[in-house]
Amino acid sequence: MRNRRDFLKLSLLGSALTSCFTSRTVLAAGQPKSQRPIVVSTWEHGMPANLAAWKVLTENGKSIDAVEAGVRVPEADPDVRTVGIGGYPDRDGNVTLDACIMDSNMNCGSVAYLQNIKHPISVARKVMDETPHVMLVGKGAQEFALQKGYQTENLLTEKSRLEWQEWLKNGQARQQINIENHDTIGMLALDTFGNLSGACTTSGAAYKLPGRVGDSPIIGAGLYVDNEIGAATATGMGELMMKTVGCHLVVELMRQGASPQQACEQAVQRIARKLDGYADYQVGFLALNKQGDYGAYCIQPGFNYAVKSVQTERLINSDNLMETLR
Ligand code: ASP
């Protein structure tokens, strides 16, 4: 719970940041300016995902194709337990997937509560490219995927099934997001033409209530791209991003002059100021602007993100609010 001391600190942090938006740009440590192409993504599984995106970007491909290719890597990897095949199931043992994608022309596509289809991001891309809609859910999303040639397959691996059964036995009704049971991949890319795109895909919160959909397929909450300004994606307890339309907020803060780093910090502080109980959860934002500057910030220690550009290929530990408040 928030206490008065934290509230005062948060208010001070907020006003200090706002006043320096226009006077300086805060870059992630050691980051050279204005890189293009560049791709950034959440968590360690972002490293191999970035390489797949990088291949597209360095062959003069478009950022939208790069982010789709990139996030398909963890979607197909059964060892990544929070995305695609091998993802944690819901309370009833069903793996339900959420994903969205957005390009530099405000086109976007999304699927939610999709079952038995390994690559939700590509179905979301087809929603974007081949329908007048933004979002398809559940059975309708699956039917659409089948019409487009995707096959159904069992996404609950033996490992996930055994762990879920163990969880059932122990009766741990854990609906909260903590550092063991989440790790959506959100990816943002700026291509050689200077265009931004983003993608976000997840199996959501482990052992969630059946029917629960988080922020990851919600345009504005788990992902947002405005090609004039920048792009943002999120990971962690989706309900907090949904309540604040977090990624849209990050992009709008960049529009007002914040660097990606400042915008992510402000968005996390907004959550902390507005939402009781925020300290029990993790939320991480990652942002990339039109110049190729990037930044990230989170509530709890432990969030990291992967960066790939001509100059660098590395995993960076995000700064976090808890240490700032200490
Ligand atoms: N944001 C995802 C969700 O709430 C999970 C995560 O990124 O940790 O479904």
Side-chain angles (χ1 to χ4, degrees), residues 14-26 257-259 262:
S15 53
L17 266 178
T18 310
S19 65
C20 67
F21 272 1
T22 48
S23 58
R24 73 191 174 106
T25 302
V26 176
S259 69
Q262 289 169 331

Side-chain angles (χ1 to χ4, degrees), residues 76-201:
D77 184 346
D79 293 329
V80 176
R81 309 296 309 289
T82 48
V83 181
I85 190 164
Y88 290 107
D90 68 8
R91 184 198 65 190
D92 294 351
N94 297 310
V95 179
T96 70
L97 303 178
D98 301 334
C100 73
I101 191 160
M102 188 161 185
D103 76 4
S104 53
N105 295 313
M106 307 295 280
N107 297 310
C108 39
S110 160
V111 289
Y113 200 67
L114 177 63
Q115 295 184 53
N116 299 107
I117 303 285
K118 189 161 78 180
H119 286 299
I121 200 64
S122 295
V123 185
R125 173 84 191 259
K126 290 223 176 289
V127 173
M128 177 176 102
D129 288 345
E130 298 178 24
T131 80
H133 308 305
V134 168
M135 187 169 196
L136 294 179
V137 305
K139 207 164 172 295
Q142 194 193 57
E143 273 168 19
F144 173 76
L146 296 178
Q147 275 165 21
K148 296 294 168 189
Y150 291 92
Q151 312 284 324
T152 52
E153 56 189 292
N154 178 23
L155 303 181
L156 185 68
T157 55
E158 191 55 11
K159 193 169 183 203
S160 286
R161 193 181 64 76
L162 291 172
E163 283 182 16
W164 165 66
Q165 283 179 337
E166 204 50 37
W167 174 82
L168 280 181
K169 257 192 261 158
N170 296 335
Q172 295 164 359
R174 187 176 61 178
Q175 304 297 342
Q176 294 183 355
I177 296 257
N178 59 33
I179 53 169
E180 295 96 45
N181 70 355
H182 62 83
D183 285 2
T184 294
I185 184 157
M187 175 178 280
L188 311 170
L190 178 67
D191 61 27
T192 49
F193 312 104
N195 289 322
L196 288 158
S197 298
C200 186
T201 175

Side-chain angles (χ1 to χ4, degrees), residues 34 44 68 106 152 157 162 190 215 217 232 244 254 278 288 305:
S34 301
E44 199 171 348
E68 182 186 356
M106 307 295 280
T152 52
T157 55
L162 291 172
L190 178 67
D215 62 311
T244 52
M254 290 194 281
Y278 76 90
L288 176 68
Y305 60 101

Side-chain angles (χ1 to χ4, degrees), residues 177 182-184 202 204-205 212 214-216 234-239 241:
I177 296 257
H182 62 83
D183 285 2
T184 294
T202 191
R212 183 265 188 188
D215 62 311
S216 305
T235 182
M237 186 65 178
E239 283 71 4
M241 280 76 93

